[in-house]
Amino acid sequence: MDSCYAPGLIPPDIALQQQLLSITAIDKTEEVTIEDALYRVVADDISAPFSVPMVDNSAMDGYAFSGHGVTAGSQLTIVGKALAGHPFEGDVKPGECIRIMTGADLPPSCDPVLMQEKVTLDADQVVVNADITLGQSVRKEGEDVTAGSIVVAKGTRLLPAHLSLLASLGIAQLVAYKTPIVGLMATGDELVEPGNVLASGQIYESNRTGLKALLAKMNVQVIDYGIIKDDQQSIAEIFTKASQECDWLISSGGVSVGDADYVKDVLDQNGKVDFWKVAIKPGKPYAFGKLGDCYFSGLPGNPVSSFVTFEQFVVPGLRKLSGANFNARPIFKAQLQSNFKRRPGREEYLRAFVENNEQGDAEVAILPGQGSAVMQTYSKANCFIKVPAQVASMAIGDIVEVQPFFEYLQ
Ligand code: AMP
Ligand code: MG
């Protein structure tokens, strides 16, 4: 078959689709307080217990009165005052008005509010200096939210604006899906925890630190299984333990085709490999499968590859597992500021920096140092450029696809 993908590799969109199809969302729920609800996923539709605003109120500092028969030039007598939290309790009769502040309840007979800049004030008299329109500067009852309407739908991942909205409705408690438990392990005989002295041939283990920070954005509880030696038995033992303790296990390293790469074989022997080897760069050896009821992602060991496959596969997978309505990652267009050549065959994710030029148009530059071990480039980037598999070159001025890092899209 004629394909733009290198032979033996699964196209990334098919791999992702297959992975998402195999994931069943958590269905256990629990009550959480609104203070603990950031990034939690709502398990039931939440309806407004009352309308917002509850009664008509003023959108301006000014004067409120019955608008019938009032025109530019009319004179009104001030009979009282209403502030937010201090409503005016009396009657406002024709020919009268009250001083009113933003957010104050409007007495039933009053509509509109005239902003204070549009009157002349003389002792307790106000002269209207503008035409009057009913409804002007009035926030109508139910204008923002109607009582009984769904304000936060089942499957919503709660962000700061949702929490503010729920608080404004007096909702202090809600039902959320249980938080997924994610296990994390790094394989490699060469790996040493930061803080120790390195012997010859050793390097510091850095993937768990980075992945844990990414997971901190994700509404998951992490169990850290540490650094695991490159031998089948050690890996199999952690797989067994993690499959009993976790909903998803993420490993890094040992998933390629080297002599000390046992992860895929151990997954095969102890569980099920759904797919392995994706047409993505970096990140080709990515493996996905299951260990009992526990989902498994084998990320490649190179730090950049581990981040890229986490972004492209683990983030959407964990969103689905957590019960969240899955939203595709948005892709934006920007004008390329660099030239680029390569061998086609894999979808490539280049670390890049996108910003607006003086005309306000988005421009994106490929950062130097695209090796899959070069984390420094990643640390200076704010987005990926997504290079389709068939593309062999790109030039300055081309319009390219840009995917902001997921942590900027919360
Ligand atoms: P692997 O995928 O195990 O073949 O590893 C590929 C490269 O990434 C090797 O150079 C490893 O030393 C390095 N590497 C693997 N795991 C880690 C890790 N957890 N932290 C930093 N580098 C790693
Ligand atoms: Mg290794």
PDB file of all heavy atoms in Angstrom, residues 17-31:
ATOM      1  N   GLN A  17      -6.011   6.741  18.248  1.00  0.00           N
ATOM      2  CA  GLN A  17      -7.410   6.283  18.174  1.00  0.00           C
ATOM      3  C   GLN A  17      -7.569   4.909  18.817  1.00  0.00           C
ATOM      4  O   GLN A  17      -8.483   4.675  19.613  1.00  0.00           O
ATOM      5  CB  GLN A  17      -7.778   6.135  16.704  1.00  0.00           C
ATOM      6  CG  GLN A  17      -8.966   6.920  16.263  1.00  0.00           C
ATOM      7  CD  GLN A  17      -9.133   6.759  14.762  1.00  0.00           C
ATOM      8  OE1 GLN A  17      -9.031   5.659  14.225  1.00  0.00           O
ATOM      9  NE2 GLN A  17      -9.369   7.869  14.091  1.00  0.00           N
ATOM     10  N   GLN A  18      -6.637   4.010  18.472  1.00  0.00           N
ATOM     11  CA  GLN A  18      -6.664   2.645  19.011  1.00  0.00           C
ATOM     12  C   GLN A  18      -6.518   2.668  20.529  1.00  0.00           C
ATOM     13  O   GLN A  18      -7.219   1.965  21.252  1.00  0.00           O
ATOM     14  CB  GLN A  18      -5.495   1.882  18.388  1.00  0.00           C
ATOM     15  CG  GLN A  18      -5.671   0.393  18.354  1.00  0.00           C
ATOM     16  CD  GLN A  18      -4.508  -0.240  17.595  1.00  0.00           C
ATOM     17  OE1 GLN A  18      -4.144   0.205  16.503  1.00  0.00           O
ATOM     18  NE2 GLN A  18      -3.901  -1.255  18.177  1.00  0.00           N
ATOM     19  N   GLN A  19      -5.607   3.520  21.001  1.00  0.00           N
ATOM     20  CA  GLN A  19      -5.376   3.623  22.435  1.00  0.00           C
ATOM     21  C   GLN A  19      -6.640   4.143  23.141  1.00  0.00           C
ATOM     22  O   GLN A  19      -7.077   3.577  24.140  1.00  0.00           O
ATOM     23  CB  GLN A  19      -4.195   4.564  22.684  1.00  0.00           C
ATOM     24  CG  GLN A  19      -3.789   4.637  24.146  1.00  0.00           C
ATOM     25  CD  GLN A  19      -2.720   5.683  24.407  1.00  0.00           C
ATOM     26  OE1 GLN A  19      -1.585   5.549  23.980  1.00  0.00           O
ATOM     27  NE2 GLN A  19      -3.082   6.725  25.123  1.00  0.00           N
ATOM     28  N   LEU A  20      -7.233   5.205  22.573  1.00  0.00           N
ATOM     29  CA  LEU A  20      -8.424   5.791  23.212  1.00  0.00           C
ATOM     30  C   LEU A  20      -9.587   4.807  23.213  1.00  0.00           C
ATOM     31  O   LEU A  20     -10.344   4.728  24.180  1.00  0.00           O
ATOM     32  CB  LEU A  20      -8.823   7.099  22.518  1.00  0.00           C
ATOM     33  CG  LEU A  20      -7.851   8.269  22.740  1.00  0.00           C
ATOM     34  CD1 LEU A  20      -8.255   9.464  21.893  1.00  0.00           C
ATOM     35  CD2 LEU A  20      -7.787   8.665  24.207  1.00  0.00           C
ATOM     36  N   LEU A  21      -9.717   4.027  22.131  1.00  0.00           N
ATOM     37  CA  LEU A  21     -10.798   3.037  22.054  1.00  0.00           C
ATOM     38  C   LEU A  21     -10.667   1.974  23.135  1.00  0.00           C
ATOM     39  O   LEU A  21     -11.659   1.459  23.647  1.00  0.00           O
ATOM     40  CB  LEU A  21     -10.784   2.352  20.689  1.00  0.00           C
ATOM     41  CG  LEU A  21     -11.596   3.034  19.592  1.00  0.00           C
ATOM     42  CD1 LEU A  21     -11.413   2.296  18.271  1.00  0.00           C
ATOM     43  CD2 LEU A  21     -13.073   3.111  19.981  1.00  0.00           C
ATOM     44  N   SER A  22      -9.427   1.649  23.485  1.00  0.00           N
ATOM     45  CA  SER A  22      -9.235   0.568  24.454  1.00  0.00           C
ATOM     46  C   SER A  22      -9.390   1.059  25.902  1.00  0.00           C
ATOM     47  O   SER A  22      -9.393   0.250  26.825  1.00  0.00           O
ATOM     48  CB  SER A  22      -7.866  -0.087  24.256  1.00  0.00           C
ATOM     49  OG  SER A  22      -6.877   0.696  24.868  1.00  0.00           O
ATOM     50  N   ILE A  23      -9.523   2.365  26.095  1.00  0.00           N
ATOM     51  CA  ILE A  23      -9.594   2.902  27.467  1.00  0.00           C
ATOM     52  C   ILE A  23     -11.047   3.074  27.913  1.00  0.00           C
ATOM     53  O   ILE A  23     -11.850   3.672  27.201  1.00  0.00           O
ATOM     54  CB  ILE A  23      -8.869   4.267  27.556  1.00  0.00           C
ATOM     55  CG1 ILE A  23      -7.374   4.063  27.302  1.00  0.00           C
ATOM     56  CG2 ILE A  23      -9.093   4.921  28.916  1.00  0.00           C
ATOM     57  CD1 ILE A  23      -6.619   5.351  27.061  1.00  0.00           C
ATOM     58  N   THR A  24     -11.351   2.512  29.065  1.00  0.00           N
ATOM     59  CA  THR A  24     -12.671   2.716  29.671  1.00  0.00           C
ATOM     60  C   THR A  24     -12.512   3.707  30.812  1.00  0.00           C
ATOM     61  O   THR A  24     -11.632   3.540  31.669  1.00  0.00           O
ATOM     62  CB  THR A  24     -13.212   1.381  30.236  1.00  0.00           C
ATOM     63  OG1 THR A  24     -13.121   0.409  29.204  1.00  0.00           O
ATOM     64  CG2 THR A  24     -14.649   1.519  30.699  1.00  0.00           C
ATOM     65  N   ALA A  25     -13.366   4.709  30.822  1.00  0.00           N
ATOM     66  CA  ALA A  25     -13.245   5.751  31.852  1.00  0.00           C
ATOM     67  C   ALA A  25     -13.592   5.192  33.227  1.00  0.00           C
ATOM     68  O   ALA A  25     -14.422   4.285  33.355  1.00  0.00           O
ATOM     69  CB  ALA A  25     -14.154   6.919  31.508  1.00  0.00           C
ATOM     70  N   ILE A  26     -12.954   5.738  34.241  1.00  0.00           N
ATOM     71  CA  ILE A  26     -13.269   5.401  35.640  1.00  0.00           C
ATOM     72  C   ILE A  26     -14.729   5.751  35.902  1.00  0.00           C
ATOM     73  O   ILE A  26     -15.193   6.819  35.487  1.00  0.00           O
ATOM     74  CB  ILE A  26     -12.355   6.229  36.567  1.00  0.00           C
ATOM     75  CG1 ILE A  26     -10.956   5.609  36.571  1.00  0.00           C
ATOM     76  CG2 ILE A  26     -12.931   6.349  37.974  1.00  0.00           C
ATOM     77  CD1 ILE A  26      -9.971   6.304  37.455  1.00  0.00           C
ATOM     78  N   ASP A  27     -15.471   4.836  36.587  1.00  0.00           N
ATOM     79  CA  ASP A  27     -16.872   5.199  36.854  1.00  0.00           C
ATOM     80  C   ASP A  27     -17.155   5.384  38.349  1.00  0.00           C
ATOM     81  O   ASP A  27     -18.259   5.763  38.728  1.00  0.00           O
ATOM     82  CB  ASP A  27     -17.846   4.200  36.211  1.00  0.00           C
ATOM     83  CG  ASP A  27     -17.605   2.785  36.717  1.00  0.00           C
ATOM     84  OD1 ASP A  27     -16.705   2.607  37.570  1.00  0.00           O
ATOM     85  OD2 ASP A  27     -18.307   1.863  36.265  1.00  0.00           O
ATOM     86  N   LYS A  28     -16.170   5.143  39.195  1.00  0.00           N
ATOM     87  CA  LYS A  28     -16.376   5.364  40.637  1.00  0.00           C
ATOM     88  C   LYS A  28     -16.323   6.870  40.915  1.00  0.00           C
ATOM     89  O   LYS A  28     -15.521   7.593  40.318  1.00  0.00           O
ATOM     90  CB  LYS A  28     -15.286   4.663  41.439  1.00  0.00           C
ATOM     91  CG  LYS A  28     -15.352   3.152  41.345  1.00  0.00           C
ATOM     92  CD  LYS A  28     -14.713   2.521  42.592  1.00  0.00           C
ATOM     93  CE  LYS A  28     -14.828   1.025  42.565  1.00  0.00           C
ATOM     94  NZ  LYS A  28     -13.987   0.410  41.502  1.00  0.00           N
ATOM     95  N   THR A  29     -17.196   7.293  41.831  1.00  0.00           N
ATOM     96  CA  THR A  29     -17.276   8.728  42.115  1.00  0.00           C
ATOM     97  C   THR A  29     -17.098   8.988  43.600  1.00  0.00           C
ATOM     98  O   THR A  29     -17.165   8.071  44.419  1.00  0.00           O
ATOM     99  CB  THR A  29     -18.644   9.289  41.686  1.00  0.00           C
ATOM    100  OG1 THR A  29     -19.653   8.636  42.457  1.00  0.00           O
ATOM    101  CG2 THR A  29     -18.907   9.046  40.209  1.00  0.00           C
ATOM    102  N   GLU A  30     -16.885  10.246  43.939  1.00  0.00           N
ATOM    103  CA  GLU A  30     -16.802  10.649  45.353  1.00  0.00           C
ATOM    104  C   GLU A  30     -17.193  12.120  45.465  1.00  0.00           C
ATOM    105  O   GLU A  30     -17.112  12.862  44.488  1.00  0.00           O
ATOM    106  CB  GLU A  30     -15.395  10.404  45.914  1.00  0.00           C
ATOM    107  CG  GLU A  30     -14.312  11.225  45.241  1.00  0.00           C
ATOM    108  CD  GLU A  30     -12.909  10.842  45.690  1.00  0.00           C
ATOM    109  OE1 GLU A  30     -12.765  10.013  46.596  1.00  0.00           O
ATOM    110  OE2 GLU A  30     -11.950  11.398  45.131  1.00  0.00           O
ATOM    111  N   GLU A  31     -17.598  12.519  46.680  1.00  0.00           N
ATOM    112  CA  GLU A  31     -17.917  13.922  46.945  1.00  0.00           C
ATOM    113  C   GLU A  31     -16.617  14.677  47.164  1.00  0.00           C
ATOM    114  O   GLU A  31     -15.734  14.181  47.862  1.00  0.00           O
ATOM    115  CB  GLU A  31     -18.740  14.037  48.231  1.00  0.00           C
ATOM    116  CG  GLU A  31     -20.155  13.568  48.100  1.00  0.00           C
ATOM    117  CD  GLU A  31     -21.144  14.734  48.199  1.00  0.00           C
ATOM    118  OE1 GLU A  31     -20.905  15.645  49.005  1.00  0.00           O
ATOM    119  OE2 GLU A  31     -22.134  14.704  47.446  1.00  0.00           O
TER     120      GLU A  31
END
